[in-house]
Amino acid sequence: MTGNGVLQILSYFALIVLLTKPMGVYMARLFSGERTLLYPVLRPVERLCYKLTGVREEVEQRWTQYAASLLAFSFVSFVFVYLFQRLQPRAGFSTAMTPDLAFNTAVSFVTNTNWQSYSGETTLTYWVQMAALAVQNFASAAAGVAVAVALIRGFARQQASAIGNFWVDLTRGVLYLLLPLSLVGALFLCSQGVIQNFSPSVTATTLEGKTQVIAQGPVASQEAIKMVGTNGGGFFNANSAHPYENPTPLTNLAQMLMIFLIPAGLTYTFGRMVGDTKQGWALFAAMSVLFLAGVFVVYGAEQAAFNMEGKEVRFGIAATSLFATITTAASCGAVNGMHGSLTPLGGLVPLFNMETGEVIFGGTGAGLYGMLLFAILAVFIAGLMVGRTPEYLGKKIEGKEVRMAMLALIATSAVILLFAGASSVLPFATASLNNGGPRGFAEILYAYSSAAANNGSAFAGLNANTPWFNVTLGLAMLIGRFLIIIPMLAVAGSLAAKKKLAVTSGTLPTHGPLFVTLLIGTVVIVGALTFFPALSLSPIVEHLLMQQGRLF
Amino acid sequence: MPAQLEERETAAPLLPKAGVHARPLFDVEILCRATKDSFVKLNPVTLAKNPVIFVVEVGAAMTTVLLLRDLATGAADTGFNLQIALWLWFTVLFANFAEAMAEARGKAQADTLRKTKTDSAARRLLANGKVEKVAASQLRAGDVVLCEAGDIIPGDGEVIEGIATVDESVITGESAPVIRESGGDRSAVTGGTKVLSDEIRIKITSNPGETFLDRMIALVEGAQRQKTPNEIALNILIAGLTMIFLLAVVTLQPFSQYSVTAAGAGAIPSVAVLVSLLVCLIPTTIGGLLSAIGIAGMDRVMQHNVLAMSGKAVEASGDVNTLLLDKTGTITIGNRQAVEFLPVTGVTESEMAEAAQLSSLADETPEGRSVVVLAKEKYGLRGREVSHHEAQFIPFSAYTRMSGVDFSGQQFRKGATESIAQFVRENGGTVPGELTDIAERISRQGGTPLAVANGRQALGVIHLKDVVKGGMKERLAELRRMGIRSVMITGDNPLTAAAIAAEAGVDHFLAQASPADKLNYIKKEQADGRLVAMTGDGTNDAPALAQADVGLAMNTGTMAAKEAGNMVDLDSNPTKLIEVVAIGKQLLITRGALTTFSIANDVAKYFAIIPAMFMATYPALGALNVMGLHNPKSAVLSAVIFNALIIIALVPLALRGVPYRPESAAAMLRRNLLVYGLGGLIVPFPGIWAIDQLTHLLGLA
């Protein structure tokens, strides 16, 4: 590791610490229905939305209604995106969007995964990219935030039957949060040289005299929301490694900040809404420890091997390691280098980040509700050791909460392990592998981990555009998204209905270093225990073999 | 006789002795019974209720079947597979044994109780006043029976006429007889107890099979044991973890197939090895001990001579935030005692002491007797023999609020200050302002003033003091550290109450409390999110006992109180509420500690088994064999043996409970996390290593 590299990483982290509180306060006010900065401008627009759609903003929903609204919204979005791709004007573009690929892509964008089995610049029209995919980048991100906010309300309220109104939360998330941030972000990116046009591809003649087709398009507008909404789906297949998407070190820093902006801010929102900001900072601290540990493992491994393969020279090892950790800690999936070219240990961290459910800041909303799932488990397992039945923030953690948390945990583990298991022995699946040995297995594991965690990044090397992978990865994304959201909304409903218990010195303190350690332990051990056998057959053994001089 | 009863209560030690129901943790009878039951419990139908151990049993059956097939075909490795199969069966048996041990203790107790439940004959009173002999089992609620000295009381009931001494040792283990009399709060009698003297009429209140003794037998036997809410939730957690590990192990089969193909070396792990990994990973430790912990918790309560009506009540007592403690008998020893004579100016202390003693001669209340005793001890005044001829005793009445004696033309009186003042004025005397000053001063100090007068002359004030039980202050401070607020309930005026509250160190008090006040206070606390525990014995306590999250009824109390509470203290010692809270906490801590320990154990087992499984495929994975285990077979075997033995090793801990000391939640969590979390992470490494050394030495693998 170099001093410069460490400094880059730490200054990035310092910026996140600074941005957390203002973002958190803004979101807490927004979702509590208080006036915010943009209220005078946007309130009429918000009203108009409700008027047009017939939403009654003052009517709150029970958790079942909230979940039903979310599912209905996602389903309609899915149908819409699917048809858009299938019906896109064929002229000028190949007919590559087969039913399975269109299914995969539609699911991918609706679930905030943005796994891309296609190559954006060659298979989709600008129209589809903007009207179908970019819209989902907003909608799916806002839906994630809505679920997190609903869960927070579950902790904050007592003896209440409702947890908010999905349509209102969704509208506010898009209108007051995502739109302004991406507008500012897009303008900034444009100023740094990210393109924003509707021009056809440019044909250039290279120095060697060959011709090169350079794709164009409305990149900046999609780039901003791809980061802010932790979507990660690049306009170009090369994603943020492409100079049109991420031209300078400054845009690189801005993009990394944009990824963590909302997830980090939500920890503060959580603390503020439950009436004790220390609770929010505790989650922030647990996430930070895991994050920094991950960054330095990746950076250490990459720097030690001086591994520049798959990295852009304009970013270097530190910024690429940082980006790789951020994008898999959050469920973003944007990349500024090739994860498939990371060293085994460097690749282990992104894998592990995803397999523990991306709770290290995580996706917009998804990170917070995922971390709260672990907090519930941590409190339940260790909370008993203070001699009381477990409680978190004054809410008793009982059978229902544990059942829902376990359901979510089992669903994601099952989908990763079962599909990866099948894919590692089915001949038509292994045929997609470009690498053999443990690396090939890691590619499969990475693909399903990425899908189930709604990340969207890939280890490359795997040709995922086959019916088998398109369909199974699509299913993994659906399960990884909705089998966490629904149980967590059920938890929200159950918690909201409970009484808040008084806090005494006999109560397990959930804001100190002890709890932070416990929470980290739970995330790491539960994650490690589930995936240790699989990981030991991929990056771990690969690392050991590399030390013996064998590469794959 | 009431005095004797009072004394028993007063003398009850702060730390209650273990009741007669206590048995040593391991005795031969219980061990034999438990060993037998562990085999009975192999029945898959009953075992299916415990998903974790059921999975182990299925795994054991699978390996056994495959072993038999191997034996038939003469395949290799049968020695290893045999050992694995055996240890898997041991794992199931050990888990069964833990549960059986916990149950056996209860069953042994139930047997003892059942022996006393003979079908005694009863004398039923008929409507026409005649008596008929019937079997106790024929009695129905509402019947009236007659019992005299030597009779066994045929069923639960209320004394409606008469007074008798009763031997309740069957239920309480206490050999000293107790008084049962009609009316008031000491009217309840329990079937199976024995009348020692006098004759009483009892109205039967329960039908056969529903008596207190029947319920007690069912409870200690655990026949209708229901899982508590927290136990259910914990079961979901460990079942969920089992499911996750099942997935991790099942998918290891294709993963290894891929790896074997890719590496071109090694073989896919055998079923026995995969099952071994699964059994090592699923939380068998907590899965095997969970129900034993619950049963043992109930049993510990029982050993303190408290009968918990459900495990839920024991669990709730760990959660209690507020303890409502009756002042009398809980915080203070039962009765007030005279500590000082304070005469008004112009009267000597001995003059006043004599008057006080005379006025108390016929007063059989503990307060009255303490006045006589104080006069004797301090002024050498011997109680005089005063016969009814020369003196007329004036008993206490609620109307006059004083008592005394008319003796050789003098009228000695003692009583409430206002009443005495009125008495003096009525006799034409004047009341010195000093008298009320002294009385107020005593009140402020938490004492009870008792004025003394002789006809028209007010003599002074007796200082009656509530004596706070020794060690009470320290115990209440302990509770405070644990985050439990103590609230003293008293009928005293706020001034007196405040002084005693300060002396005893309670956090809050409720003065001049009526039963309704108590109930409202509980409701208010609960509305603020607190769980409340209280004790009670009277019928008017019943609503509050029912409302409280933990209601500890006194066995001497009325049937209504006993039915309303969810625990009955057979010793009728209200201080025991504090012990019950501690036992509840200990139960929960034990569960949490063993769960944490169980999960933390897995890390080491991975390091034992994973390299062993894939050493042939990827020799590089040998680097993970940090324990340096001899060979793959002994590594797997050692992990399985460790996993089985740890269950047995932890049985005593599960039955006795994790050592508990009162401290704040943060301190407790830090210590327990260190011991059971970090300990659980580390212990298996040397453990598995040692077993590996041993198996290698013995040439087992």
Side-chain angles (χ1 to χ4, degrees), chain B residues 449-488:
Chain B
L450 210 54
V452 181
N454 178 3
R456 53 190 298 241
Q457 191 190 9
L459 297 172
V461 185
I462 307 170
H463 184 174
L464 287 180
K465 201 178 164 193
D466 264 315
V467 183
V468 172
K469 282 185 178 176
M472 203 58 192
K473 198 167 183 147
E474 290 72 32
R475 305 210 72 193
L476 294 177
E478 262 176 21
L479 287 176
R480 200 167 307 118
R481 272 203 299 283
M482 289 151 56
I484 298 173
R485 245 159 45 98
S486 50
V487 179
M488 183 180 84

Side-chain angles (χ1 to χ4, degrees), chain B residues 56-68:
Chain B
V56 181
E57 187 173 43
V58 172
M62 260 167 71
T63 38
T64 311
V65 170
L66 290 176
L67 175 72
L68 293 176

Side-chain angles (χ1 to χ4, degrees), chain A residues 241 307-313 320 336-342:
Chain A
N307 177 17
M308 274 304 287
E309 187 196 313
K311 294 185 181 64
E312 291 289 307
V313 278
T320 309
N336 76 344
M338 292 299 114
H339 289 188
S341 301
L342 292 172

Side-chain angles (χ1 to χ4, degrees), chain B residues 319-566:
Chain B
D319 278 348
V320 160
N321 304 91
T322 306
L323 282 187
L324 298 195
L325 301 169
D326 277 323
K327 184 197 78 176
T328 309
T330 311
I331 291 173
T332 62
I333 56 176
N335 319 294
R336 283 174 250 238
Q337 291 184 333
V339 289
E340 209 178 356
F341 296 118
L342 298 162
V344 292
T345 326
V347 179
T348 66
E349 269 192 53
S350 58
E351 233 179 303
M352 187 203 151
E354 188 173 1
Q357 191 186 42
L358 276 170
S359 66
S360 305
L361 280 179
D363 186 349
E364 278 298 320
T365 63
E367 286 87 354
R369 283 185 302 130
S370 78
V371 171
V372 176
V373 169
L374 182 70
K376 186 172 100 183
E377 283 176 352
K378 246 185 158 170
Y379 305 100
L381 299 171
R382 303 199 65 82
R384 297 189 216 172
E385 285 302 316
V386 185
S387 73
H388 287 277
H389 302 296
E390 36 187 342
Q392 191 197 347
F393 292 107
I394 316 291
F396 178 86
S397 84
Y399 177 67
T400 61
R401 298 187 18 190
M402 56 185 183
S403 63
V405 61
D406 289 347
F407 174 62
S408 55
Q410 289 170 297
Q411 292 179 299
F412 295 102
R413 292 289 184 279
K414 73 168 200 298
T417 318
E418 305 93 83
S419 314
I420 293 293
Q422 202 189 343
F423 172 78
V424 169
R425 275 194 292 268
E426 276 169 10
N427 280 303
T430 50
V431 182
E434 210 187 338
L435 189 80
T436 37
D437 288 349
I438 298 173
E440 265 177 30
R441 205 175 63 227
I442 293 171
S443 291
R444 265 198 304 280
Q445 292 166 4
T448 308
L450 210 54
V452 181
N454 178 3
R456 53 190 298 241
Q457 191 190 9
L459 297 172
V461 185
I462 307 170
H463 184 174
L464 287 180
K465 201 178 164 193
D466 264 315
V467 183
V468 172
K469 282 185 178 176
M472 203 58 192
K473 198 167 183 147
E474 290 72 32
R475 305 210 72 193
L476 294 177
E478 262 176 21
L479 287 176
R480 200 167 307 118
R481 272 203 299 283
M482 289 151 56
I484 298 173
R485 245 159 45 98
S486 50
V487 179
M488 183 180 84
I489 308 284
T490 171
D492 291 342
N493 63 58
L495 215 60
T496 312
I500 299 171
E503 192 184 341
V506 293
D507 298 298
H508 189 66
F509 63 86
L510 206 57
Q512 285 168 342
S514 67
D517 290 341
K518 239 180 183 176
L519 183 64
N520 290 334
Y521 190 82
I522 294 175
K523 284 185 176 160
K524 191 178 92 28
E525 287 286 296
Q526 288 173 334
D528 292 344
R530 298 197 184 87
L531 270 77
V532 184
M534 69 167 285
T535 60
D537 55 4
T539 300
N540 53 16
D541 282 334
L545 277 171
Q547 177 73 34
D549 301 280
V550 176
L552 180 64
M554 299 294 105
N555 191 45
T556 49
T558 60
M559 221 51 190
K562 283 204 253 182
E563 305 229 309
N566 46 16

Side-chain angles (χ1 to χ4, degrees), chain A residues 385 388-389 437 499 502 505 529, chain B residues 258 319 526 529 606 665 669 672:
Chain A
M385 285 195 290
R388 294 172 63 85
T389 55
K499 244 191 310 198
S505 63
L529 290 180
Chain B
Y258 171 92
D319 278 348
Q526 288 173 334
Y606 265 133
L669 181 66
N672 287 330

